[in-house]
Amino acid sequence: MKIAGVRGMSDLLPGDASRWQQMERTAREVFALYGYREVRTPAVEHAALFARGVGETTDIVRKEMYVFEDKGEETLALRPEGTAGAVRAYIEHGCHVEGPQKWFYAGPMFRRERPQKGRYRQFHQIGCECFGVAEPGIDVEQIAMLHDYLGRLCVKAELRLNSVGDGQCRPPYLDDLRAFLAARKDSLCPDCNERAEKNPLRVLDCKVDSCQPVLSGAPSLIDRLCAGCREHFDAVKGGLDAMGVRYRIDARLVRGLDYYVRTAYEFSSDALGAQSAVAGGGRYDGLVEALGGPPTPAIGFALGEERLALILAAGGRSPPDERPEVFLIAADAQGAREAPLRALALRQAGVACELDLRFGKLARQFRQAERVRARFAVVLGGDELASGRAKVKNLDTREETPVALADLLARFSR
Ligand code: HAM
């Protein structure tokens, strides 16, 4: 009996892997320029971390987490996102003593969502978190860095920016919003009504057509920010303007996680359809303290690698080429003995070299060389070894040029 893969969880095969390597390599390069250093935290954490970190009332915690009892000893969860685990590690290792920290991570996350284009149950995020800087300059730098990263991959994405206020201006606003929603509950969908009490901000994010006209009249937090949040928001906008990063203010942008204060943002692309956000993040100044650490301002984002790969593929940009430079072909038994030794020398010199270790007929070896899209083929046999000369065949142009075997390494190494 065949056993299929789990719904919403995909395989990444060699044909697509180079695209992913490019996304991750570029992230490492760009984020390092801005001082971010890699961390790796476990894919499994105590479920309580996410309940307290991401928020009890969020869809992620209420409906989408893979939670399990570990032999009746502990309640664990597959991580639905990376921030809560990063914060746990930051606290557990006392990292605050080292001053501001810039972290980056990449890895699988798990949410039991209904699978569709751009939405999976196992997906991969590349994320960044900065701890210890309350000033708006870090918001600007981090958003500009993500903009820089997407630009290097030639991805066009729209930046939407909002401020979701803080503990001072948000509670009175939420009271008003609740009252507004309660007065219109008959015109709102069941989902909105369910959220209206527990997590009213999320109602603003409802995509149901009939709710849109009602919600367009809802009070907006951005008009009621306290002086501190207003000043912060103005500074973020001014900083982005100065750096030439374009954005659109979206007063209805609320994020699906509860920890945000002040800055919230998303990059989205038309290439993605309904699940348009390729990256999202914001400030979460209270989270470190809420999870038992010292008061620590923080800001971060994560981008979805599957969604980024979809955008790159839709843009028609082919992934970086991974062709072997040389394919060694054995003409006879003597060649078959020699070829692996020559391959070793080439590889040690940094030249990507392949050979068909089944050897066999010349035609089959050439077919394999074409299949792996090698640039050059070199046939080795008793004759070549006796004369010390072989032919290098350019597999793109079919052109053949002679080479002395003694010069083979020099011919291909750069
Ligand atoms: P998030 O908005 O939930 O934020 O996820 C970030 C990105 O992950 C999304 O923009 C999307 O590209 C991708 N993503 C989310 N869910 C799925 C899914 N089911 N399938 C495919 N891709 C998905 C966070 O996770 C926060 N931890 C970001 C953050 C870091 N905020 C502060 N620091």
Side-chain angles (χ1 to χ4, degrees):
M1 195 182 66
K2 263 199 277 181
I3 300 177
V6 177
R7 193 165 118 85
M9 305 198 180
S10 317
D11 301 305
L12 178 68
L13 298 180
D16 294 319
S18 56
R19 172 101 68 203
W20 282 62
Q21 285 160 1
Q22 178 197 26
M23 300 187 307
E24 289 168 8
R25 192 174 48 243
T26 308
R28 283 196 165 79
E29 283 166 11
V30 174
F31 300 165
L33 296 175
Y34 290 79
Y36 284 79
R37 296 170 60 203
E38 183 165 357
V39 293
R40 299 187 189 197
T41 64
V44 176
E45 299 273 358
H46 290 284
L49 175 72
F50 301 111
R52 271 174 51 202
V54 175
E56 301 268 12
T57 62
T58 58
D59 283 355
I60 295 178
V61 169
R62 282 175 54 229
K63 304 181 194 164
E64 297 167 2
M65 265 208 311
Y66 287 95
V67 178
F68 61 99
E69 297 295 326
D70 185 13
K71 307 246 187 266
E73 286 169 14
E74 298 175 295
T75 308
L76 304 179
L78 299 186
R79 61 179 178 190
E81 56 103 53
T83 308
V87 170
R88 182 210 38 79
Y90 176 86
I91 297 169
E92 201 164 317
H93 301 284
C95 299
H96 63 280
V97 297
E98 291 164 40
Q101 299 271 308
K102 286 170 162 178
W103 289 6
F104 118 83
Y105 53 85
M109 308 290 161
F110 305 84
R111 295 183 192 174
R112 202 174 184 293
E113 298 200 75
R114 195 168 48 78
Q116 63 185 87
K117 180 182 168 191
R119 188 199 264 167
Y120 312 100
R121 290 182 167 180
Q122 174 177 308
F123 59 97
H124 297 76
Q125 285 186 343
I126 297 176
C128 286
E129 314 290 352
C130 175
F131 299 104
V133 183
E135 284 67 19
I138 190 70
D139 308 36
V140 174
E141 184 188 76
Q142 200 178 73
I143 296 171
M145 175 178 79
L146 183 51
H147 179 263
D148 182 2
Y149 170 73
L150 293 169
R152 284 184 202 222
L153 292 173
C154 300
V155 166
K156 287 201 181 63
E158 185 193 33
L159 167 61
R160 287 178 301 127
L161 183 69
N162 193 15
S163 173
V164 293
D166 65 3
Q168 197 182 330
C169 49
R170 191 156 47 188
Y173 164 76
L174 290 182
D175 289 342
D176 288 356
L177 181 61
R178 273 195 199 95
F180 173 91
L181 298 171
R184 288 156 185 84
K185 70 172 188 275
D186 296 341
S187 330
L188 293 169
C189 72
D191 242 9
C192 281
N193 279 314
E194 198 191 319
R195 285 173 173 161
E197 248 327 287
K198 293 201 189 106
N199 199 351
L201 266 190
R202 288 294 287 165
V203 175
L204 299 178
D205 205 24
C206 179
K207 305 278 182 316
V208 174
D209 282 346
S210 57
C211 295
Q212 290 305 315
V214 185
L215 295 175
S216 64
S220 159
L221 176 50
I222 213 169
D223 301 326
R224 301 174 180 212
L225 295 175
C226 58
C229 288
R230 161 73 42 214
E231 197 183 316
H232 190 94
F233 193 45
D234 288 343
V236 172
K237 289 187 292 184
L240 290 174
D241 290 337
M243 293 213 174
V245 177
R246 295 174 61 174
Y247 56 86
R248 178 164 70 81
I249 303 294
D250 181 356
R252 300 263 296 272
L253 172 75
V254 288
R255 310 256 310 119
L257 308 97
D258 275 356
Y259 44 62
Y260 293 108
V261 292
R262 297 192 165 170
T263 311
Y265 63 97
E266 277 184 6
F267 280 87
S268 49
S269 160
D270 291 342
L272 290 173
Q275 306 305 319
S276 65
V278 61
R283 188 166 267 289
Y284 51 94
D285 292 344
L287 186 59
V288 177
E289 196 175 3
L291 292 176
T296 308
I299 178 164
F301 69 83
L303 76 85
E305 293 194 73
E306 284 79 2
R307 293 189 190 175
L308 185 56
L310 280 171
I311 298 175
L312 292 172
R317 299 180 64 82
S318 40
D321 238 354
E322 287 193 330
R323 303 174 64 179
E325 188 69 10
V326 188
F327 200 100
L328 294 181
I329 288 176
D332 51 28
Q334 228 182 314
R337 275 195 300 277
E338 183 67 16
L341 304 177
R342 297 273 173 179
L344 177 66
L346 281 161
R347 288 163 176 164
Q348 285 180 337
V351 180
C353 172
E354 254 291 41
L355 66 174
D356 184 348
L357 288 164
R358 300 169 301 174
F359 296 116
K361 291 211 170 73
L362 271 184
R364 188 171 80 169
Q365 294 184 58
F366 268 106
R367 244 196 334 272
Q368 187 60 15
E370 306 265 348
R371 216 178 262 147
V372 299
R373 301 176 47 252
R375 290 181 210 280
F376 298 97
V378 180
V379 178
L380 290 177
D383 292 349
E384 285 78 10
L385 293 168
S387 66
R389 301 193 69 77
K391 279 192 188 125
V392 173
K393 180 168 183 179
N394 182 323
L395 294 175
D396 294 330
T397 62
R398 311 264 135 209
E399 213 179 310
E400 289 192 332
T401 43
V403 63
L405 286 182
D407 297 338
L408 203 59
L409 269 188
R411 164 78 177 71
F412 290 110
S413 45
R414 300 207 171 102

